[in-house]
Amino acid sequence: MSLRTAVDVQEERLTAQRSPCPNCRTGTLEPFYEVRGVPVHSVVNIRTREEALAFPKGDIALAWCEGCGFVSNTAYDSSLQEYCSDCEETQGYSDTFQLFQEQLAERLVKRHSLFGKRIVEVGCGKGEFLSLLCKLGGNSGVGFDPAFVPERNPAEGQANVEFVQAFYSEQNAVGDADFLCCKMTLEHIADTHAFVSMVRRSIGSRRTPVFFQVPDFRRILTDNAFWDVYYEHCSYFTKHALSQLFQRAGFEIVDIRSEYDGQYLAIEAVPAEKPMGRLKEDPWLEWTSERIRNFSSVVAETIASWNQRIASRVTAGENLVIWGSGSKGVSFLTSLRNPGDIRAAVDINPHRQGTFMAGTGHPVVAPEQLQQSPPDLVIVMNPIYAKEIATTLQTLGLHSKLWCV
């Protein structure tokens, strides 16, 4: 299957079918946006350009539930996904992200009195956050993730922290947890109601608080962020969708907020002591509905604008790279009409360097390699890192112009 851009499919009829909402179980999903032939993984380390160009592809057919505000990729096929130790999703090499993570951990430890407690993390990645929570409060913990790499254990020397290379399920659930967290994982799960309900059952009669973090779909709608729509993310949340999900699964909401410059939604909840009452209506329903209706056409215009801007710089003889080889970078490049106008993807994560971008085959290079052929323009895949990137370029003696998506 050849790569298709979002622009190429705007005038085609959506193939997504109206189907029951897997988030609230009462609404119906209505299709509104489609992209065909996108890489089914964005953060798997690919060792050759040939393998990257031939990487398996799938389709995206987004549909939304007007009742709860949830968005789902109805074309998602979980059998195409394989989360393994060769997945490289960590953002921990960024000072900006590390500061955010440290402040978040400190806040959670203090708010929930996590001192000498038992902590579970679902979807722990490489384990940095769980290790931090345990270190800050003298806690013990267990993390679950098939992509965990034992050789990179951040809790080395912490006998009270263990990791399981498996998905969290009722079969391996930890029933005596004092705190359960799940960061940037729920968006990878298609049947969100079934999963959160499973988590609720695993807690049993305890009043164990839970913390979940997911991307904020309202920001995607606000910024027309086509680069934040990719195959691994089969589920997208507004505040209303997230709060409804947890209430319907048997939780009482303690706090729900947007953070990290509006990129993430965070929810804290505890098992409810009484049945769910009447759910509040979504105050953003009209705004969301309008954005959803126009999303497909507005994204097409946004992509066309990027194609034009990039082409003008290439015509002027400039050398272009993107900064960020993760999911945003893959989605951005595969959406361009001429992705070859971009020379490479830059990444500070040493485990990504020397690999190739799924779908387009762009090489992933270290910042230091830019000195060999200085770029005139760096397209930043996440604006929150712009200051950090500018500092790195300055340190390397480079004076590239920055454009942020």
Side-chain angles (χ1 to χ4, degrees), residues 72-143:
S72 172
N73 176 14
T74 60
Y76 178 75
D77 182 355
S78 62
S79 69
L80 298 176
Q81 300 278 272
E82 182 182 3
Y83 293 99
C84 59
S85 58
D86 218 15
C87 290
E88 190 55 48
E89 78 299 320
T90 183
Q91 296 173 266
Y93 288 95
S94 162
D95 291 340
T96 302
F97 183 80
Q98 192 59 35
L99 176 62
F100 164 72
Q101 186 155 257
E102 289 171 358
Q103 292 174 340
L104 173 60
E106 290 170 357
R107 186 166 70 244
L108 291 175
V109 166
K110 183 178 180 180
R111 176 177 293 186
H112 298 287
S113 299
L114 300 180
F115 299 98
K117 299 294 179 66
R118 175 80 160 156
I119 298 176
V120 169
E121 183 173 12
V122 178
C124 65
K126 300 302 180 284
E128 301 103 329
F129 192 65
L130 179 62
S131 177
L132 185 58
L133 287 174
C134 291
K135 184 178 180 180
L136 287 172
N139 301 299
S140 64
V142 56

XYZ file of all heavy atoms in Angstrom, residues 72-143:
554
model
N -12.922 7.811 18.473
C -12.313 6.500 18.280
C -11.899 6.299 16.831
O -12.554 6.790 15.914
C -13.325 5.410 18.673
O -12.846 4.119 18.334
N -10.788 5.595 16.623
C -10.427 5.148 15.282
C -11.160 3.837 15.028
O -10.737 2.771 15.484
C -8.919 4.948 15.150
C -8.538 4.383 13.788
O -9.339 4.378 12.849
N -7.305 3.898 13.669
N -12.255 3.896 14.295
C -13.073 2.715 14.069
C -12.435 1.737 13.092
O -12.917 0.614 12.927
C -14.470 3.107 13.560
O -14.337 3.835 12.330
C -15.191 3.979 14.583
N -11.340 2.143 12.443
C -10.626 1.242 11.533
C -9.448 0.569 12.230
O -8.684 -0.173 11.605
C -10.126 2.019 10.313
N -9.302 0.805 13.517
C -8.164 0.275 14.276
C -8.208 -1.243 14.352
O -9.255 -1.845 14.606
C -8.177 0.862 15.683
C -7.077 0.361 16.589
C -5.777 0.800 16.429
C -7.365 -0.540 17.618
C -4.774 0.350 17.269
C -6.369 -0.991 18.465
C -5.073 -0.541 18.286
O -4.086 -0.984 19.122
N -7.064 -1.862 14.138
C -6.932 -3.313 14.219
C -5.797 -3.630 15.186
O -4.625 -3.445 14.866
C -6.626 -3.893 12.832
C -6.511 -5.415 12.826
O -6.572 -6.025 13.916
O -6.355 -5.981 11.736
N -6.154 -4.084 16.384
C -5.149 -4.327 17.427
C -4.161 -5.422 17.043
O -3.042 -5.472 17.580
C -5.834 -4.684 18.751
O -6.593 -5.876 18.610
N -4.534 -6.288 16.103
C -3.626 -7.367 15.708
C -2.399 -6.842 14.962
O -1.395 -7.547 14.811
C -4.366 -8.386 14.830
O -4.702 -7.838 13.564
N -2.474 -5.589 14.491
C -1.343 -4.979 13.801
C -0.342 -4.367 14.764
O 0.738 -3.932 14.352
C -1.840 -3.892 12.836
C -2.768 -4.347 11.708
C -3.238 -3.152 10.900
C -2.082 -5.371 10.815
N -0.682 -4.327 16.043
C 0.161 -3.691 17.044
C 0.972 -4.730 17.820
O 0.459 -5.783 18.199
C -0.715 -2.925 18.045
C -1.562 -1.838 17.415
C -0.784 -0.566 17.197
O -0.702 0.281 18.055
N -0.204 -0.435 16.014
N 2.234 -4.429 18.016
C 3.088 -5.296 18.822
C 3.991 -4.418 19.689
O 4.952 -3.829 19.202
C 3.936 -6.222 17.953
C 4.802 -7.176 18.766
C 5.680 -8.060 17.906
O 5.654 -7.902 16.669
O 6.403 -8.890 18.466
N 3.638 -4.315 20.960
C 4.447 -3.522 21.884
C 5.518 -4.422 22.480
O 5.218 -5.421 23.133
C 3.564 -2.910 22.966
C 2.622 -1.864 22.413
C 1.290 -2.172 22.139
C 3.084 -0.589 22.114
C 0.430 -1.225 21.601
C 2.239 0.372 21.567
C 0.908 0.044 21.318
O 0.079 0.982 20.775
N 6.761 -4.062 22.225
C 7.881 -4.907 22.625
C 9.031 -4.025 23.099
O 8.943 -2.799 23.102
C 8.328 -5.777 21.451
S 8.848 -4.809 20.014
N 10.116 -4.670 23.498
C 11.260 -3.927 24.045
C 11.933 -3.046 22.996
O 12.754 -2.187 23.341
C 12.279 -4.901 24.641
O 12.725 -5.819 23.654
N 11.611 -3.225 21.710
C 12.188 -2.385 20.663
C 11.371 -1.125 20.419
O 11.692 -0.332 19.535
C 12.315 -3.177 19.358
C 13.601 -2.832 18.611
O 14.496 -2.221 19.218
O 13.703 -3.181 17.419
N 10.299 -0.928 21.200
C 9.550 0.334 21.162
C 10.301 1.365 21.983
O 10.719 1.087 23.111
C 8.137 0.140 21.721
S 7.047 -0.849 20.678
N 10.471 2.543 21.449
C 11.258 3.588 22.127
C 10.404 4.836 22.291
O 10.441 5.749 21.477
C 12.525 3.883 21.326
C 13.515 4.767 22.054
C 13.913 4.216 23.418
O 14.252 3.016 23.515
O 13.872 5.008 24.389
N 9.619 4.856 23.370
C 8.646 5.923 23.589
C 9.077 6.961 24.618
O 8.435 8.002 24.750
C 7.312 5.294 24.043
C 7.270 4.858 25.490
C 8.285 3.787 25.855
O 8.507 2.871 25.049
O 8.870 3.866 26.956
N 10.166 6.714 25.335
C 10.512 7.574 26.455
C 10.837 9.010 26.035
O 11.448 9.248 24.990
C 11.715 7.008 27.235
O 11.979 7.844 28.369
C 12.960 6.936 26.373
N 10.389 9.967 26.844
C 10.721 11.377 26.651
C 11.706 11.856 27.725
O 11.981 13.036 27.839
C 9.442 12.222 26.725
C 8.435 11.925 25.617
C 7.128 12.655 25.847
O 6.190 12.120 26.426
N 7.048 13.891 25.398
N 12.204 10.913 28.492
C 13.001 11.246 29.658
C 14.346 11.890 29.386
O 15.000 12.356 30.320
N 14.788 11.933 28.117
C 16.073 12.568 27.818
C 15.935 14.087 27.690
O 16.937 14.787 27.573
C 16.660 11.978 26.530
C 17.152 10.557 26.730
C 16.350 9.468 26.426
C 18.418 10.314 27.263
C 16.784 8.164 26.625
C 18.865 9.011 27.472
C 18.042 7.945 27.154
O 18.476 6.658 27.371
N 14.712 14.579 27.723
C 14.481 16.022 27.658
C 14.451 16.620 29.051
O 13.725 16.144 29.927
C 13.143 16.303 26.957
O 12.694 17.609 27.228
N 15.218 17.682 29.279
C 15.208 18.369 30.573
C 13.831 18.971 30.842
O 13.367 19.001 31.988
C 16.269 19.469 30.600
C 17.688 18.915 30.607
O 17.861 17.733 30.962
O 18.615 19.668 30.241
N 13.185 19.465 29.783
C 11.852 20.054 29.935
C 10.860 19.016 30.439
O 10.093 19.259 31.384
C 11.361 20.620 28.591
O 12.301 21.596 28.118
C 9.988 21.270 28.738
N 10.865 17.847 29.807
C 9.936 16.797 30.214
C 10.300 16.248 31.586
O 9.418 15.950 32.404
C 9.933 15.657 29.192
C 8.937 14.577 29.529
C 7.596 14.740 29.223
C 9.337 13.415 30.172
C 6.664 13.769 29.544
C 8.415 12.432 30.499
C 7.081 12.610 30.184
N 11.579 16.116 31.850
C 12.012 15.568 33.136
C 11.570 16.466 34.282
O 11.143 15.973 35.343
C 13.533 15.392 33.154
C 14.058 14.576 34.321
C 13.476 13.173 34.371
O 13.228 12.556 33.335
N 13.227 12.675 35.569
N 11.637 17.779 34.089
C 11.180 18.709 35.117
C 9.684 18.547 35.354
O 9.214 18.512 36.504
C 11.499 20.145 34.703
C 10.988 21.247 35.643
C 11.625 21.096 37.024
C 11.278 22.631 35.062
N 8.919 18.446 34.269
C 7.472 18.233 34.395
C 7.176 16.937 35.151
O 6.320 16.890 36.032
C 6.841 18.183 33.000
C 5.456 17.594 32.980
C 4.381 18.288 33.499
C 5.237 16.329 32.436
C 3.097 17.745 33.489
C 3.961 15.780 32.419
C 2.890 16.484 32.953
N 7.882 15.870 34.799
C 7.660 14.574 35.431
C 8.010 14.603 36.912
O 7.295 14.030 37.748
C 8.476 13.505 34.702
C 8.233 12.095 35.172
C 8.558 11.064 34.106
O 7.666 10.517 33.467
N 9.833 10.785 33.910
N 9.085 15.279 37.248
C 9.488 15.381 38.658
C 8.461 16.168 39.464
O 8.098 15.785 40.580
C 10.867 16.040 38.754
C 12.000 15.149 38.254
C 13.313 15.899 38.163
O 13.321 17.121 38.461
O 14.330 15.269 37.797
N 7.982 17.273 38.904
C 6.985 18.081 39.603
C 5.671 17.327 39.760
O 5.003 17.417 40.797
C 6.769 19.399 38.852
C 7.973 20.329 38.899
C 7.798 21.568 38.039
O 6.970 21.600 37.121
N 8.581 22.603 38.313
N 5.293 16.559 38.734
C 4.080 15.750 38.808
C 4.213 14.691 39.894
O 3.300 14.495 40.705
C 3.822 15.084 37.454
C 2.675 14.063 37.398
C 1.349 14.711 37.772
C 2.597 13.425 36.017
N 5.335 14.005 39.931
C 5.552 12.968 40.937
C 5.520 13.552 42.342
O 4.904 12.986 43.259
C 6.891 12.272 40.684
N 6.164 14.691 42.536
C 6.169 15.340 43.853
C 4.759 15.710 44.283
O 4.391 15.555 45.452
C 7.070 16.582 43.813
C 8.552 16.254 43.694
C 9.396 17.483 43.411
O 8.798 18.586 43.247
O 10.631 17.356 43.342
N 3.960 16.213 43.325
C 2.582 16.611 43.627
C 1.731 15.400 44.021
O 0.956 15.459 44.983
C 1.978 17.321 42.425
C 0.590 17.901 42.682
C 0.169 18.867 41.596
N -0.101 18.208 40.327
C 0.603 18.412 39.225
N 1.624 19.249 39.223
N 0.285 17.785 38.099
N 1.876 14.304 43.306
C 1.090 13.110 43.603
C 1.489 12.486 44.937
O 0.633 12.040 45.708
C 1.248 12.086 42.472
C 0.620 12.463 41.130
C 0.961 11.425 40.071
C -0.898 12.616 41.255
N 2.776 12.452 45.199
C 3.256 11.898 46.478
C 2.702 12.696 47.644
O 2.223 12.134 48.640
C 4.801 11.872 46.509
C 5.305 11.632 47.929
C 5.338 10.802 45.575
N 2.727 14.016 47.515
C 2.238 14.876 48.592
C 0.724 14.787 48.722
O 0.201 14.637 49.833
C 2.661 16.326 48.327
C 2.256 17.296 49.424
C 2.750 18.698 49.115
C 2.339 19.676 50.215
N 2.822 21.067 49.910
N -0.010 14.871 47.608
C -1.472 14.899 47.659
C -2.051 13.600 48.212
O -3.035 13.606 48.951
C -2.046 15.163 46.266
C -3.574 15.111 46.232
C -4.110 15.441 44.856
N -3.863 16.838 44.495
C -4.333 17.414 43.387
N -5.065 16.699 42.536
N -4.072 18.670 43.114
N -1.444 12.473 47.853
C -1.995 11.186 48.256
C -1.204 10.520 49.380
O -1.405 9.333 49.653
C -2.077 10.267 47.039
C -2.981 10.784 45.960
N -4.362 10.779 46.059
C -2.699 11.372 44.763
C -4.884 11.309 44.972
N -3.904 11.687 44.169
N -0.314 11.303 50.013
C 0.475 10.795 51.157
C 1.134 9.468 50.819
O 1.007 8.477 51.548
C -0.419 10.649 52.394
O -0.958 11.886 52.779
N 1.852 9.456 49.709
C 2.496 8.225 49.256
C 3.865 8.084 49.918
O 4.916 8.365 49.333
C 2.626 8.244 47.729
C 1.315 8.345 46.948
C 1.570 8.363 45.445
C 0.376 7.197 47.311
N 3.831 7.631 51.156
C 5.046 7.401 51.920
C 4.969 5.997 52.513
O 4.082 5.695 53.299
C 5.197 8.440 53.026
C 5.289 9.857 52.508
C 4.159 10.674 52.491
C 6.490 10.353 52.023
C 4.234 11.971 52.012
C 6.565 11.657 51.534
C 5.432 12.477 51.529
N 5.899 5.137 52.067
C 5.882 3.759 52.522
C 4.693 2.983 52.000
O 4.225 2.041 52.646
N 4.196 3.341 50.818
C 2.997 2.717 50.258
C 3.359 1.759 49.115
O 4.507 1.677 48.686
C 2.040 3.793 49.749
C 1.544 4.760 50.831
C 0.683 4.062 51.846
C 0.209 5.011 52.932
N -0.698 6.049 52.415
N 2.340 1.067 48.619
C 2.478 0.122 47.513
C 1.882 0.766 46.256
O 0.700 1.100 46.218
C 1.718 -1.163 47.854
C 1.654 -2.205 46.759
C 2.913 -2.999 46.679
N 2.697 -4.275 45.978
C 3.659 -4.940 45.375
N 4.893 -4.461 45.374
N 3.417 -6.093 44.781
N 2.701 0.953 45.213
C 2.282 1.659 44.003
C 2.327 0.727 42.803
O 3.257 -0.070 42.640
C 3.193 2.883 43.743
C 3.082 3.880 44.902
C 2.843 3.559 42.423
C 4.018 5.052 44.781
N 1.307 0.840 41.953
C 1.252 0.088 40.701
C 1.215 1.086 39.544
O 0.456 2.060 39.595
C 0.004 -0.822 40.635
C -0.171 -1.393 39.228
C 0.123 -1.953 41.645
N 2.037 0.858 38.517
C 1.932 1.666 37.301
C 1.596 0.760 36.127
O 2.298 -0.221 35.847
C 3.208 2.443 36.986
C 3.005 3.330 35.751
C 4.152 4.276 35.451
O 5.241 4.134 36.035
O 3.930 5.163 34.597
N 0.513 1.095 35.437
C 0.058 0.364 34.262
C 0.583 1.076 33.024
O 0.328 2.263 32.825
C -1.489 0.311 34.229
C -1.964 -0.403 32.967
C -2.031 -0.364 35.481
N 1.337 0.363 32.196
C 1.960 0.994 31.035
C 3.131 1.850 31.484
O 3.168 3.050 31.199
N 4.084 1.248 32.167
C 5.168 2.019 32.806
C 6.282 2.406 31.850
O 7.214 3.107 32.250
C 5.743 1.227 33.976
S 6.569 -0.318 33.475
N 6.222 1.944 30.582
C 7.284 2.287 29.644
C 8.619 1.752 30.114
O 8.766 0.578 30.456
N 9.603 2.634 30.179
C 10.929 2.227 30.616
C 11.098 2.348 32.138
O 12.179 2.115 32.668
C 11.997 3.058 29.896
C 11.964 2.900 28.374
C 12.140 1.445 27.952
C 12.103 1.263 26.444
N 10.761 1.335 25.874
N 10.016 2.746 32.840
C 10.010 2.677 34.296
C 10.451 3.914 35.047
O 10.522 3.893 36.281
N 10.724 5.018 34.334
C 11.272 6.198 35.027
C 10.306 6.775 36.063
O 10.724 7.160 37.165
C 11.624 7.301 34.015
C 12.646 6.902 32.962
C 12.011 6.620 31.613
O 10.856 6.167 31.592
O 12.689 6.852 30.596
N 9.016 6.858 35.717
C 8.066 7.523 36.609
C 7.815 6.702 37.869
O 7.782 7.246 38.977
C 6.755 7.792 35.880
C 5.826 8.711 36.629
C 6.178 10.032 36.855
C 4.612 8.258 37.107
C 5.335 10.892 37.550
C 3.755 9.113 37.794
C 4.113 10.421 38.022
N 7.646 5.410 37.729
C 7.445 4.551 38.900
C 8.656 4.599 39.819
O 8.515 4.696 41.047
C 7.180 3.112 38.460
C 6.984 2.101 39.591
C 5.771 2.449 40.437
C 6.859 0.684 39.032
N 9.831 4.543 39.233
C 11.058 4.623 40.028
C 11.113 5.926 40.811
O 11.504 5.952 41.984
C 12.276 4.514 39.104
O 13.474 4.656 39.828
N 10.687 7.004 40.188
C 10.687 8.320 40.827
C 9.685 8.369 41.981
O 10.000 8.870 43.075
C 10.360 9.386 39.787
C 10.418 10.853 40.205
C 11.800 11.206 40.740
C 10.066 11.748 39.024
N 8.480 7.867 41.760
C 7.462 7.840 42.817
C 7.945 7.040 44.029
O 7.725 7.435 45.179
C 6.165 7.227 42.291
C 5.316 8.066 41.339
C 4.155 7.224 40.804
C 4.776 9.314 42.026
N 8.591 5.927 43.767
C 9.071 5.080 44.863
C 10.236 5.729 45.597
O 10.329 5.668 46.832
C 9.472 3.710 44.322
S 8.066 2.720 43.762
N 11.105 6.385 44.871
C 12.259 7.050 45.478
C 11.831 8.227 46.342
O 12.343 8.423 47.452
C 13.222 7.516 44.384
C 14.499 8.147 44.907
C 15.412 8.524 43.751
C 16.704 9.154 44.264
N 17.612 9.523 43.136
N 10.879 9.014 45.854
C 10.454 10.216 46.579
C 9.769 9.899 47.893
O 9.926 10.639 48.878
C 9.499 11.043 45.698
C 10.114 11.797 44.529
C 9.023 12.406 43.657
C 11.054 12.887 45.029
N 8.995 8.795 47.932
C 8.229 8.498 49.142
C 8.644 7.250 49.866
O 7.941 6.804 50.794
N 9.769 6.658 49.470
C 10.172 5.416 50.102
C 9.129 4.333 49.892
O 8.865 3.509 50.785
N 8.533 4.329 48.701
C 7.461 3.395 48.395
C 8.002 2.144 47.708
O 9.119 2.122 47.202
C 6.438 4.062 47.463
C 5.832 5.310 48.066
O 5.184 5.256 49.107
N 6.060 6.465 47.425
N 7.183 1.103 47.667
C 7.468 -0.074 46.852
C 6.548 -0.015 45.648
O 5.485 0.606 45.696
C 7.229 -1.363 47.644
O 5.867 -1.498 47.999
N 6.944 -0.660 44.564
C 6.123 -0.556 43.365
C 6.329 -1.682 42.391
O 7.365 -2.366 42.408
N 5.346 -1.856 41.532
C 5.442 -2.809 40.433
C 4.879 -2.152 39.179
O 3.810 -1.538 39.213
C 4.702 -4.128 40.757
C 3.241 -3.874 41.119
C 4.780 -5.102 39.588
N 5.628 -2.244 38.088
C 5.213 -1.653 36.828
C 4.981 -2.722 35.780
O 5.710 -3.723 35.731
